[in-house]
Amino acid sequence: AAQRNWVEVAESPNHARDIINSGKLAMVLAIEVSDLFGNDNWAERLVYYYDVYKVRSIQFVHQLDNRFAGPAPHHFIFKIFQIIEDFNNGDWQLGFDLDGNGKNRKGLSSAGKELAQMMIDRNMILDISHMSERAVGDLYEILEDNDYYPMNISHAHFRSIMMDKKQKEEKTTPDYVVKMIRETGGMFGLRTGAERVK
């Protein structure tokens, strides 16, 4: 295999600083999948990925409901995939449980809250990308109890500047969530994909 002496996986903020100060790119390994940890014992898998693969950032949810949280629905294709997923699992709800404003009623589950605390205990990056607003609110309460541990979003749009139709999608980030991120000292990663804004 070719030598990759220009990049190194960072395991902590101090390690990242050392890597950067040596002139290399510090890379943080993250997980972004819909079926996080599958049906495995998730707590054991978290420790395994943390210890063995040096994963330091995890998104609780991606495009479909999972055992940790509900996502912020946006594109119709994922609504269809959720119906198929529910049907395959024998869940007769068939689709996201949306409120009158089209937002997912599913927040953080008890497993999601436990996952958040385990990640905090390991100083991992909490990435709220794709989370329903309800799940974000649930997580924020946990972060308040943990001295405002940082809440981050790796890729998102500011809802207030999007075109009217896009503003109706829960996946866009409302100002009050931006305020939560700021209050915890977290970071907002602005999506660079082609989207029209006001």
Side-chain angles (χ1 to χ4, degrees), residues 7 9 12 15-16 22 28 50 62 66 80-81 95-96 110 118 121 129 133 140 161 165 167 173 189 192:
V7 63
V9 174
S12 70
H15 188 209
S22 72
V28 178
Y50 181 89
H62 192 225
N66 67 20
I80 293 171
F81 288 159
F96 295 115
S110 57
M118 283 187 70
D121 293 344
S129 298
E133 288 180 41
Y140 183 74
I161 64 169
K165 183 178 179 185
Q167 284 189 15
T173 307
T192 56

Side-chain angles (χ1 to χ4, degrees), residues 5-29:
N5 53 12
W6 56 273
V7 63
E8 190 174 338
V9 174
E11 298 180 33
S12 70
N14 286 336
H15 188 209
R17 288 184 193 98
D18 291 343
I19 294 167
I20 293 165
N21 289 333
S22 72
K24 296 179 184 179
L25 174 68
M27 182 169 49
V28 178
L29 297 185

Side-chain angles (χ1 to χ4, degrees), residues 26-109:
M27 182 169 49
V28 178
L29 297 185
I31 297 175
E32 176 185 31
V33 295
S34 286
D35 191 16
L36 182 61
F37 302 131
N39 292 322
D40 293 343
N41 179 311
W42 65 264
E44 289 179 4
R45 298 310 290 169
L46 172 67
V47 172
Y48 178 78
Y49 281 105
Y50 181 89
D51 290 343
V52 176
Y53 290 108
K54 312 304 180 191
V55 168
R56 296 298 184 260
S57 178
I58 295 176
Q59 291 174 27
F60 292 75
V61 68
H62 192 225
Q63 303 292 4
L64 305 176
D65 287 338
N66 67 20
R67 61 177 157 169
F68 302 106
H74 58 110
H75 196 279
F76 78 92
I77 194 68
F78 299 116
K79 294 175 183 179
I80 293 171
F81 288 159
Q82 184 65 54
I83 291 170
I84 294 168
E85 180 80 5
D86 290 343
F87 180 78
N88 288 338
N89 291 330
D91 182 350
W92 295 105
Q93 177 180 300
L94 296 180
F96 295 115
D97 180 16
L98 304 180
D99 65 18
N101 295 314
K103 294 181 181 176
N104 198 339
R105 286 191 176 99
K106 185 172 183 181
L108 275 186
S109 66

